[in-house]
Amino acid sequence: MVSGVAVASAAGANAAVIRAGSTSLLCVLIAVPLVLLLLLSVTRHWSYPGLWPDALQWSQWRVMLSGDRGLLDALVSSLLIAVIVAVGATTAGFLTSQRIAGHRRRGVLLMLALLPFAISPVVLGVTLNYGFIRLQLAASLWGVILAQFLFAYAYAVLLLSGFWNTRIAALSELAESIGADRFQIWWRVRLPLAAGLLGVSLFQTFLISWFDFALARLIGAGRVQTLPLLVFDYFGSGDFRLAAACGVLLVGLPLAAVLLNRRLLAWPLTAASSRV
Amino acid sequence: MNGAQTLDAWLKVQAIRKRFGARPLFDKVSFEVARGQTLAVIGASGSGKTTLLRILAGLDRDHQGRIFIDDRDVTSLPARQRQALYLYQEPLLFPHLNVFENIAFGLRLRRLPKTQVREQVEQVLGEIELQGLDARKPESLSGGQRQRVAFGRALVVQPALLLLDEPFGSLDPETRAAMQELFGRVASQHRITSVFVTHDLKEALRVGDQFGLIADGRLRNYIDRAAFCADPDSGVQRELRFWEALRVEAIGSGAKPTP
């Protein structure tokens, strides 16, 4: 009996160690690149094999924030594109996913929504570029928005299709039975119930656009400058410190949004547990 | 007995036909319900009880036949214009709203003044015996309380017709009996006309003024309890024989009821 208890407590201790170890590993894997990026952005000289930079400086941040190197324009473009893509894709995705949920060929349509992810963005960008040149959308802000929208929209459809279950259908019917018209069903039932998931969709589709490089490069053709393109340009010209400073801005904005609103990450988990 | 006629019919259903693909579900189902009366409908699983209610509510309009509520032909009207409120088997509440707002839902749709909404909701809260729980969220309520809220939400909009789809099926026997009593009291007080679907014979006899039996695509209509009990197909005779046999057996074994 005693040995049984001892074995159980040893197994419990092992499980705790494994849990703590895997959590620490996860934190390190996430934190190390971020810390390194931040450090690089303020480094003046870092010689091998030193674990810490020899000297720090803020000059790359001053250069960046002065707006002389096109950062402000790229930031505004990136924000504008990402906001339009996120709002457009989430709105269209929500409406489309509702239609798909009631469709008899639901499985096939959801498979189609997966297609953009089965094709490489570069391949799709090259293909789109041909069509966009014909439509005079190449090398324009709207061309980049439309190209990114295709990916973000497909993603939003896949994410939001999980919302349309039998319970939502029953609640919608119930509201109609009480006297709600179509608008009232959307406004008073569906939208409030989907608010959390819509927030997640807005955030995720914003990220798809915010971090996109291939489509912005191919469709924008150098005329549309975004933050990821700027980071790559700085890096390509050997100015890795400025690239790092720009990278901090690129990563920092969505990170701040997540920290300010943790529900953006937590919602899918809580929703999954509440459905059980 | 099919298509029995009553005076002062509030709900008139005429020759409803419904098919699911090639399979016929209803063939010329007709019945009437007098104002303020409850038609209790029983039937086996899959006999079409829920579909009948959905047709009456306007949630399923793919059928033939006509439906009149208070002499108004509602056959082609969408659900929102019928004033026929459908109560689900599960106490379906809006999870994002508290008890007060769940009950007030129909009044908010009708854009009534705030003071009127408060007055009416508080009155209903009293009738369904849920005073003091108005700020609670649905997930913190028991099954019986949730069903009361669903009932209150229906009551507050004074529907022309109330359609109840085995509403107390998921409740324990004690709560179920209390809800049947509450329904009977409030329905009679507000003169609510209703169709109450159940597979529980005892529940049908408790809540019904008129009775219906769905079988083989038809609805047999019984004008009162006596007619319903007299029909061997209603199951009442079988039930009585069962309890009678049990009683005789208990007497034969000399068992005495505990006080």
Side-chain angles (χ1 to χ4, degrees), chain A residues 11-116:
Chain A
N14 282 344
V17 168
I18 291 169
R19 210 166 33 238
S22 54
T23 310
S24 306
L25 183 67
L26 193 66
C27 290
V28 167
L29 284 173
I30 293 167
V32 163
L34 290 175
V35 171
L36 205 61
L37 193 67
L38 201 64
L39 215 54
L40 274 172
S41 75
V42 290
T43 293
R44 185 163 68 189
H45 188 247
W46 195 344
S47 55
Y48 182 81
L51 285 174
W52 192 256
D54 304 324
L56 302 175
Q57 66 174 15
W58 292 95
S59 63
Q60 45 265 32
W61 278 94
R62 273 201 299 275
V63 168
M64 213 175 64
L65 295 173
S66 68
D68 291 345
R69 305 285 295 269
L71 178 88
L72 201 63
D73 288 345
L75 179 66
V76 170
S77 295
S78 281
L79 265 177
L80 186 71
I81 293 169
V83 167
I84 293 173
V85 166
V87 172
T90 299
T91 308
F94 194 46
L95 296 171
T96 309
S97 63
Q98 192 238 352
R99 287 284 171 190
I100 288 178
H103 202 279
R104 60 195 173 91
R105 295 196 182 277
R106 181 171 184 265
V108 177
L109 292 170
L110 286 176
M111 279 280 285
L112 284 175
L114 271 171
L115 268 185

Side-chain angles (χ1 to χ4, degrees), chain B:
Chain B
M1 274 184 287
N2 199 6
Q5 303 294 301
T6 57
L7 292 174
D8 188 25
W10 181 263
L11 169 69
K12 288 182 202 166
V13 176
Q14 294 175 349
I16 295 286
R17 282 179 184 215
K18 170 76 184 170
R19 300 180 77 86
F20 278 125
R23 187 172 73 90
L25 184 67
F26 296 136
D27 183 26
K28 288 189 176 177
V29 164
S30 302
F31 61 91
E32 294 182 357
V33 184
R35 187 174 183 196
Q37 300 270 292
T38 295
L39 169 68
V41 178
I42 63 162
S45 295
S47 59
K49 302 188 297 290
T50 296
T51 306
L52 177 66
L53 291 192
R54 290 178 62 81
I55 287 172
L56 296 178
L59 297 170
D60 184 338
R61 289 197 281 160
D62 182 22
H63 64 85
Q64 290 176 301
R66 307 195 78 77
I67 300 161
F68 297 85
I69 299 175
D70 190 19
D71 285 332
R72 185 173 63 123
D73 187 350
V74 299
T75 315
S76 57
L77 290 183
R80 67 174 184 279
Q81 290 174 7
R82 288 197 183 190
Q83 290 183 281
L85 215 147
Y86 182 71
L87 268 187
Y88 286 75
Q89 196 168 4
E90 290 298 315
L92 202 59
L93 301 183
F94 298 112
H96 58 296
L97 302 177
N98 63 19
V99 168
F100 184 96
E101 287 303 326
N102 258 288
I103 294 175
F105 188 83
L107 303 177
R108 301 261 189 240
L109 294 179
R110 288 156 180 78
R111 295 187 179 87
L112 293 185
K114 280 183 184 175
T115 49
Q116 202 177 332
V117 170
R118 177 153 291 281
E119 270 172 30
Q120 291 192 27
V121 171
E122 279 172 1
Q123 189 193 331
V124 165
L125 277 168
E127 288 184 43
I128 58 172
E129 297 158 11
L130 284 182
Q131 300 101 321
L133 297 184
D134 52 338
R136 295 264 291 269
K137 278 294 186 84
E139 70 263 20
S140 69
L141 301 175
S142 68
Q145 288 171 329
R146 280 203 291 270
Q147 199 56 271
R148 278 170 196 255
V149 176
F151 187 43
R153 185 180 53 200
L155 199 64
V156 80
V157 293
Q158 297 172 320
L161 180 66
L162 191 57
L163 304 161
L164 303 102
D165 190 358
E166 301 190 38
F168 312 139
S170 58
L171 304 177
D172 62 84
E174 210 171 302
T175 314
R176 189 172 183 154
M179 284 303 296
Q180 288 162 356
E181 190 274 326
L182 177 82
F183 168 75
R185 178 162 42 84
V186 177
S188 120
Q189 194 180 325
H190 289 263
R191 289 200 75 198
I192 295 172
T193 311
S194 53
V195 180
F196 193 119
V197 153
T198 179
H199 62 265
D200 181 345
L201 202 53
K202 207 161 71 176
E203 184 167 73
L205 289 165
R206 266 190 185 154
V207 301
D209 302 300
Q210 298 173 227
F211 301 87
L213 169 67
I214 296 187
D216 305 323
R218 290 182 175 264
L219 186 130
R220 285 192 218 171
N221 216 323
Y222 308 89
I223 197 77
D224 56 24
R225 185 175 277 111
F228 180 64
C229 292
D231 184 357
D233 291 341
S234 71
V236 176
Q237 301 295 331
R238 198 169 48 243
E239 193 86 358
L240 284 173
R241 278 198 300 276
F242 171 80
W243 290 110
E244 181 59 22
L246 212 61
R247 193 179 70 84
V248 169
E249 190 184 306
I251 290 169
S253 70
K256 288 179 180 172
T258 49

